[in-house]
Amino acid sequence: LLCSPLLLSQPTMPKRGRRRKKTRTHVVENENAASALESAKDLKIPRSLVIRRGKVESEVIELVADLRKMMLPYTAASFKEDAKNRKMTLSHYAKELTGAMGVTHLMAISQNSSRLNLRLARTPSGPTLTFRLKQFSLIKQVRSVQRRPFDSPAAYNHAPIVVTNNFGDATAAPHVKLMRITFQNMFPAVNVATVKLADCRRVVLFNFMRRDVDDKEKRRKEGGNAAEHDEEEDEEVEVRHYAIKATPVGVNRKVRRLIQAKIPNLSKLDDVADYISGQTTSGAPAPAATSGGMSDSEAEDETSHVVLAQKYTGRGNAASQKSALKLVELGPRLRLKLTKVERGLAAGDVMYHAYIKKSASEVKKQRAKIEREALEKKRRREEQEANVDRKKREKEEKRESKRQRKEEREKVAMDELRRGGGGEFDDD
């Protein structure tokens, strides 16, 4: 690199000004109160964790990812399980993650040679609902059968609306009530007075299906394959995931397509007015203008027409305007059968079992047996801890006595050295 002597001779200019000082762009009157308020608000939001336990098939791994996507945004979407984590119990997950990440619900999928199970637990103390996962469809499978799949990453920025259908009223069975409450508490509650309409982009539907036993026995007696009837469960829950789409109504269909930026092919027309009116200036019918837009037959259904209270996503969906709502399935699909309800976190009393029925006396005997086993386990643990403490004390006493004997031997040796050394000095 060659430099000019004139440039080398010029002195360097000193820096001007002082070091930039960062200033605050907003003022909080009471920072502690604001942070406490925000923390209290965050604590009310349920947060979930979807995991898999043990060795599962590749389709089940994809199902776990799809369930995490459905539970967005308040879930651990990028949670990684290694071989060690997949062997951990639900209580371990609850102990490690409830306080650190604020996880309120655990969804664990496990697989054995005959069935697929889903355990839904409320942390940190239960209850735990165990479902048999009878059928499921992945997101990619749902999209493969759709003509125009829904694509909008912004729809996952807000929690979905929960709809529980056919779960009954106050007279429903206790396990049905518990299912409904658990499904609702997995997602944040919607405040109708303060909710923004643009944030309501998705719906999660829990549909409870029940078939009467009498009807099942009647179909069995009428004939048919008995194995097919045995496969039918009396109570099942179907889970579906939808996106909400709004289409403006009250205007011409062709004008609506222009509003929604779905530009048709006007190559065979002389003027855009021919496309709107459907005929040329001479009165002859205009050639058909092809469009890539979807069919608007759904928008013509007046039962789906609503007047928007606020502006909604999509062109033409302004406030106080009439729009047609449509649900587009996102996936995944699940069909669940409740098999067991436990009072604690994957432990405790069995509050409900789909296949094993016990009388009150049998439940009482079993509970007494469990209490005796718990007391016996506690006694053995206390006895073991006492034995460990006793052995530690004995070991410490043995070590202390050994140290004292060593000190005594050293003291005797030193005394002998002193006496022997003193006699030699006197003889000299």
Side-chain angles (χ1 to χ4, degrees):
L1 180 63
L2 300 178
C3 298
S4 172
L6 183 60
L7 294 176
L8 293 175
S9 62
Q10 291 180 355
T12 58
M13 296 297 293
K15 289 185 178 181
R16 290 186 179 183
R18 57 184 179 180
R19 186 177 180 182
R20 178 179 175 272
K21 183 178 180 182
K22 185 176 181 181
T23 57
R24 301 191 68 169
T25 57
H26 63 281
V27 178
V28 179
E29 295 181 357
N30 192 343
E31 188 173 356
N32 294 330
S35 61
L37 183 63
E38 189 70 20
S39 300
K41 182 180 178 182
D42 292 341
L43 288 175
K44 295 181 180 179
I45 298 177
R47 304 178 187 277
S48 60
L49 177 65
V50 185
I51 58 176
R52 69 181 192 272
R53 301 185 66 244
K55 187 176 181 180
V56 296
E57 300 292 338
S58 58
E59 290 82 2
V60 180
I61 298 176
E62 295 182 19
L63 177 62
V64 170
D66 292 347
L67 287 175
R68 290 176 181 176
K69 190 173 183 179
M70 184 183 73
M71 302 296 293
L72 286 175
Y74 301 110
T75 189
S78 302
F79 186 79
K80 302 293 184 183
E81 308 112 329
D82 55 13
K84 184 184 296 184
N85 288 341
R86 288 199 296 271
K87 297 179 181 179
M88 293 181 179
T89 60
L90 295 185
S91 58
H92 176 82
Y93 277 105
K95 181 180 178 181
E96 296 294 332
L97 302 177
T98 300
M101 300 176 59
V103 174
T104 59
H105 291 82
L106 287 175
M107 298 176 65
I109 296 180
S110 59
Q111 182 182 9
N112 55 25
S113 58
S114 59
R115 65 181 59 188
L116 198 62
N117 294 323
L118 171 64
R119 304 179 81 179
L120 177 57
R122 178 69 166 89
T123 60
S125 58
T128 304
L129 283 71
T130 302
F131 296 92
R132 179 183 177 186
L133 190 53
K134 300 189 64 180
Q135 297 177 2
F136 68 90
S137 299
L138 303 175
I139 291 179
K140 66 177 184 180
Q141 295 171 343
V142 174
R143 290 173 60 91
S144 63
V145 298
Q146 293 176 337
R147 186 177 179 184
R148 293 180 180 86
F150 181 83
D151 289 312
S152 179
Y156 295 93
N157 294 337
H158 301 279
I161 300 173
V162 182
V163 178
T164 54
N165 181 48
N166 204 27
F167 279 86
D169 51 7
T171 60
H175 67 279
V176 177
K177 293 181 184 178
L178 182 60
M179 279 195 293
R180 176 178 57 82
I181 294 172
T182 303
F183 292 147
Q184 290 176 344
N185 292 340
M186 288 169 57
F187 300 90
V190 177
N191 190 346
V192 181
T194 59
V195 67
K196 294 182 180 179
L197 196 60
D199 296 343
C200 303
R201 302 288 304 277
R202 294 183 293 137
V203 175
V204 175
L205 171 65
F206 296 93
N207 182 33
F208 182 72
M209 300 179 296
R210 177 179 175 83
R211 286 181 287 272
D212 293 336
V213 180
D214 296 337
D215 295 341
K216 184 177 177 182
E217 294 293 336
K218 183 178 179 181
R219 291 196 305 269
R220 188 194 304 271
K221 292 178 180 179
E222 289 177 354
N225 190 356
E228 294 180 358
H229 297 303
D230 292 337
E231 289 295 328
E232 294 180 356
E233 299 289 350
D234 298 331
E235 296 178 349
E236 292 179 353
V237 178
E238 190 177 24
V239 184
R240 306 288 284 270
H241 185 208
Y242 298 95
I244 304 175
K245 292 185 67 176
T247 305
V249 298
V251 295
N252 186 279
R253 182 186 301 179
K254 298 178 180 180
V255 177
R256 187 191 310 146
R257 289 178 177 175
L258 294 177
I259 293 174
Q260 295 176 341
K262 298 176 181 178
I263 307 300
N265 184 6
L266 305 177
S267 61
K268 297 181 180 180
L269 302 177
D270 298 330
D271 195 337
V272 69
D274 300 342
Y275 168 72
I276 300 297
S277 61
Q279 59 184 4
T280 61
T281 55
S282 61
T290 58
S291 173
M294 65 177 182
S295 173
D296 295 280
S297 59
E298 296 86 355
E300 295 175 357
D301 185 10
E302 294 184 358
T303 59
S304 63
H305 294 181
V306 295
V307 177
L308 300 177
Q310 304 173 10
K311 186 181 183 302
Y312 196 68
T313 55
R315 294 179 181 268
N317 297 317
S320 303
Q321 297 293 327
K322 184 179 289 187
S323 297
L325 299 183
K326 178 185 176 183
L327 296 180
V328 181
E329 189 169 5
L330 298 174
R333 300 178 187 175
L334 302 175
R335 178 164 291 187
L336 308 173
K337 164 65 179 175
L338 180 66
T339 58
K340 185 171 62 173
V341 177
E342 297 171 281
R343 190 180 300 274
L345 186 64
D349 298 339
V350 178
M351 303 168 61
Y352 168 80
H353 203 288
Y355 305 111
I356 301 176
K357 307 296 182 182
K358 293 185 178 181
S359 62
S361 59
E362 292 176 341
V363 172
K364 187 176 180 180
K365 290 180 181 179
Q366 184 182 12
R367 188 173 299 171
K369 181 180 177 182
I370 293 174
E371 291 177 356
R372 288 196 305 270
E373 291 177 353
L375 291 175
E376 181 65 20
K377 185 177 180 181
K378 182 179 179 181
R379 186 191 63 78
R380 289 197 304 267
R381 185 184 297 111
E382 292 176 351
E383 182 179 355
Q384 185 178 10
E385 291 176 355
N387 292 334
V388 170
D389 294 337
R390 178 179 56 80
K391 291 179 181 179
K392 285 183 178 179
R393 289 195 304 270
E394 291 176 355
K395 189 175 181 180
E396 191 68 26
E397 291 174 358
K398 184 177 180 180
R399 186 184 296 111
E400 182 67 20
S401 61
K402 186 176 180 181
R403 185 182 61 82
Q404 290 178 359
R405 289 196 302 270
K406 183 178 180 182
E407 290 179 355
E408 290 177 358
R409 288 196 302 270
E410 291 177 352
K411 184 177 180 181
V412 170
M414 292 298 295
D415 293 341
E416 291 178 355
L417 288 174
R418 290 193 187 98
R419 287 196 299 269
E424 293 177 359
F425 181 77
D426 294 340
D427 294 339
D428 293 339

